[in-house]
Amino acid sequence: MTDPGHGSAGLREFQDGFAQALFGGGPDGALRPEIASLVAQSGFAVYRNTVMKGCIDALQANFPAVSRLVGDEWFRAAAAIFVRDNLPRRASLLDYGGEFPDFLGAFEPARALPYLVPVARVDRHWTQAHCAAEEPTLDAQLVAAVPPQELGRAVLTPHASARWAWHSEVPIRTIWERNRAAEAPAGVSTTDAPELDWRAEGVLLTRPGGSVEWIPVAAGECAFLDVCARGGTLAEAAQRALEAKVDVDLARLMARLLGAGAFTRLDLGS
Amino acid sequence: MIANHSAGLGLKPAHYEEAHAAPADGLWLEVHPENYMVEGGPRLAWLETIRARHPLSLHGVGLSLAAAAEPDRDHLRRLAVLVDRFEPALVSEHLAWSTWRGSYRPDLLPIPRTAESLARLADNIDRTQCALGRRIAVENPSHYLRIAGHEHTEIEFLAELARRTGCGLLLDVNNVFVSGRNLGFAAADYIDAFPGEHVDEIHLAGHSADPQLGEALLIDSHDAPIAPAVWRLYERLIARIGPRPSLIERDENLPSFDALLSERRQAQAILTAPARQAA
């Protein structure tokens, strides 16, 4: 095997120059002469267009609810700005766009759309749930079999596919769900729909039967899951859930989360 | 195992159910492994279901073999996981680069064909074949640029890679047609000179004319049926080298699965024409 750097100066310079030219050139727009002679040919635009289109298509596929909310033209224009500074780091584009919600959060034209970033995060959660590792789903019977006095020390581990989000001001689940469904009519401005109840909402995504599903969740359930995700005990999780909502029904809360397939295992404290 | 006279289809998620249900009459299916580099979930489950019924080909677009660097280790590891799990009959990649200095550009970018790039490619193909524990086939890309500084023709270059590394070649007939038109060479001459003994697989696809420049610049867009001129080049190739596993590629403007099966029948007829039976 040769040394990775050995003798590659010519090819390396070609690739540095070509890669820069795909997005306009160096810091001062300058190009090396042999690269400038390629950019001057009409065929160079094919590479520029293909690279940009491939990245934008992947983002649009990964953020369908965002795309639906803002429309095709707005989405692709914003995505083109994102792509210039955030080329994919991996050749698999299935999870491209991890930084896109934060980009939207700092994107001036998105400022008037307070629901856009939360919806982008739920789109991202869907992708992560979709691609997560296979794991067994914890059976509610196993939890029911634990003696009550030991339950407080038990630790529930969220399933690899479980993702949840809570928003205190935006009906995040309703907006996302209406814009995620492929069969929803295009062009409907969902946020203007009269029946939209502008209130706090949460959503839990899981993959219990092989495909991604979701249920509405309350603040207490999200607080409960947050504690489980950092390895806290059931007693701590219950405490947080009660802090989030004083009259939370813990038995019902656990039944809902277990029913949705939110956990993969139960460990009893020693 | 894929027989030389079997035609296959590129597989898209929209066609999972129909592809699975299709008669297993030698039908094989090809996917981009990059679309299955996930930890788990329905995509892998579907591929598993389909693989249980049809032979599979993994056609990579992201290994960046022509970059002046080793293949990305994480990418190669993920590819090896898929090869181990799905035991594909064919594995292929491109004479091109895409990942460079940690960023991926979703395209098949060109290189000057020099002694240096030849050595780099041979080394990268060797590393890949060692990591996967098997031979891969390397595909001729579509060309859009006249690049100064080539020291080898593409055919010399590919044949030398096959000689040095033992890799196979994937001959994309549409890419030859598109490149011939864009760079001004006779596609039939290229097809006639291609070293048939190294060809593991053939690709057939549609192209389109550039929206601004028209027929003067053809784009390898995979968004249309295979052009008649490409079918004629394919017939010419098969008549010379004999049948080889041949794939219908379609990535955009996806037609019905039946329309793809119809193109597959057309390829199948050329592969199994009586004159070829002895080949």
Side-chain angles (χ1 to χ4, degrees):
Chain A
M1 294 289 167
T2 55
D3 174 84
H6 180 71
S8 290
L11 186 56
R12 188 171 285 184
E13 284 167 17
F14 177 86
Q15 283 164 343
D16 280 338
F18 199 106
Q20 269 190 341
L22 285 173
F23 292 95
D28 53 356
L31 292 168
R32 299 154 47 81
E34 73 271 28
I35 299 296
S37 78
L38 300 181
V39 174
Q41 299 176 43
S42 54
F44 196 80
V46 178
Y47 294 108
R48 276 187 173 151
N49 296 343
T50 305
V51 169
M52 189 50 101
K53 180 180 184 300
C55 291
I56 295 176
D57 285 352
L59 271 184
Q60 201 161 16
N62 292 348
F63 294 91
V66 173
S67 175
R68 227 178 164 76
L69 276 164
V70 297
D72 191 65
E73 197 180 339
W74 196 104
F75 186 92
R76 295 187 75 86
I81 296 168
F82 172 79
V83 167
R84 296 183 74 88
D85 291 325
N86 297 275
L87 275 176
R89 284 189 297 271
R90 288 175 44 193
S92 173
L93 297 176
L94 292 174
D95 72 345
Y96 177 46
E99 304 88 354
F100 192 57
D102 285 343
F103 164 84
L104 289 175
F107 189 50
E108 188 58 36
R111 190 157 292 187
L113 313 170
Y115 47 82
L116 208 56
V117 174
V119 165
R121 294 202 196 288
V122 183
D123 269 343
R124 183 78 191 143
H125 285 330
W126 189 95
T127 297
Q128 291 172 332
H130 185 70
C131 299
E134 304 293 340
E135 281 184 345
T137 300
L138 180 63
D139 188 338
Q141 304 276 355
L142 283 176
V143 182
V146 177
Q149 67 274 17
E150 289 181 28
L151 212 49
R153 285 180 292 143
V155 173
L156 286 167
T157 305
H159 193 275
S161 69
R163 295 290 184 282
W164 55 93
W166 171 257
H167 204 285
S168 57
E169 289 157 28
V170 174
I172 178 177
R173 195 263 312 163
T174 305
I175 298 177
W176 176 78
E177 187 177 75
R178 287 185 189 176
N179 288 283
R180 181 81 195 189
E183 63 273 18
V188 173
S189 178
T190 306
T191 49
D192 293 341
E195 73 272 25
L196 185 70
D197 186 3
W198 203 265
R199 58 170 187 189
E201 272 187 5
V203 61
L204 166 67
L205 298 94
T206 51
R207 208 180 66 207
S211 55
V212 179
E213 297 177 13
W214 58 89
I215 58 168
V217 282
E221 289 163 315
C222 289
F224 187 95
L225 285 164
D226 287 342
V227 174
C228 295
R230 58 173 171 75
T233 63
L234 239 161
E236 292 171 64
Q239 181 61 35
R240 289 278 179 224
L242 285 164
E243 284 166 17
K245 191 166 188 297
V246 185
D247 58 344
V248 75
D249 178 345
L250 284 169
R252 184 167 174 277
L253 177 153
M254 285 196 38
R256 285 194 83 228
L257 297 183
L258 284 162
F263 301 104
T264 187
R265 52 182 282 175
L266 168 83
D267 292 288
L268 294 173
S270 51
Chain B
M1 185 62 193
I2 295 174
N4 273 346
H5 59 268
S6 284
L9 290 177
L11 175 66
K12 298 288 156 191
H15 291 153
Y16 279 159
E17 289 187 31
E18 287 160 291
H20 179 251
D25 58 350
L27 172 65
W28 53 283
L29 298 157
E30 185 166 283
V31 297
H32 298 313
E34 290 78 8
N35 291 339
Y36 296 85
M37 289 182 178
V38 290
E39 301 298 318
R43 274 180 179 259
L44 286 169
W46 261 115
L47 199 58
E48 199 107 294
T49 304
I50 287 167
R51 172 68 185 90
R53 200 168 145 74
H54 303 287
L56 194 66
S57 164
L58 295 183
H59 180 54
V61 293
L63 201 49
S64 201
L65 288 174
E70 285 176 37
D72 179 81
R73 279 175 200 211
D74 183 56
H75 190 87
L76 197 49
R77 182 187 59 77
R78 286 167 179 270
L79 182 59
V81 166
L82 290 171
V83 167
D84 286 347
R85 177 166 175 178
F86 292 99
E87 298 179 336
L90 295 165
V91 178
S92 52
E93 253 292 350
H94 295 84
L95 178 61
W97 60 285
S98 53
T99 297
W100 177 240
R101 299 206 188 276
S103 295
Y104 170 69
R105 295 147 197 85
D107 200 358
L108 302 166
L109 303 173
I111 51 161
R113 292 181 299 267
T114 60
E116 179 208 342
S117 54
L118 184 65
R120 167 52 68 187
L121 264 150
D123 190 46
N124 284 349
I125 292 167
D126 192 41
R127 286 172 192 273
T128 301
Q129 294 186 138
C130 287
L132 302 183
R134 57 165 296 148
R135 161 175 161 134
I136 65 166
V138 177
E139 176 179 344
N140 59 302
S142 288
H143 292 288
Y144 305 97
L145 293 174
R146 292 170 194 279
I147 296 176
H150 286 312
E151 296 165 9
H152 301 273
T153 67
E154 187 166 82
I155 289 176
E156 285 166 6
F157 203 79
L158 286 166
E160 183 59 15
L161 286 173
R163 194 191 65 77
R164 287 195 195 180
T165 68
C167 74
L169 300 179
L170 194 172
L171 176 51
D172 188 314
V173 178
N174 181 61
N175 289 358
V176 174
F177 181 81
V178 165
S179 302
R181 183 69 74 82
N182 292 342
L183 302 189
F185 65 81
D189 291 349
Y190 185 109
I191 292 291
D192 289 350
F194 205 83
E197 68 275 22
H198 297 308
V199 177
D200 285 353
E201 181 182 345
I202 296 167
H203 272 181
L204 296 163
H207 57 256
S208 56
D210 182 79
Q212 270 93 47
L213 299 169
E215 297 287 322
L217 182 65
L218 295 184
I219 318 278
D220 175 28
S221 49
H222 294 189
D223 63 351
I226 296 155
V230 172
W231 281 117
R232 287 195 293 275
L233 287 171
Y234 176 62
E235 277 195 90
R236 183 183 178 104
L237 173 72
I238 298 301
R240 179 174 69 86
I241 72 169
R244 291 304 146 81
S246 301
L247 184 93
I248 313 294
E249 280 187 304
R250 186 70 173 258
D251 293 311
E252 301 264 342
N253 194 15
L254 202 62
S256 69
F257 192 69
D258 281 345
L260 294 176
L261 281 176
S262 157
E263 278 191 305
R264 175 181 177 252
R265 277 193 294 276
Q266 204 172 336
Q268 201 69 71
I270 292 168
L271 287 168
T272 54
R276 272 12 126 225
Q277 294 297 357

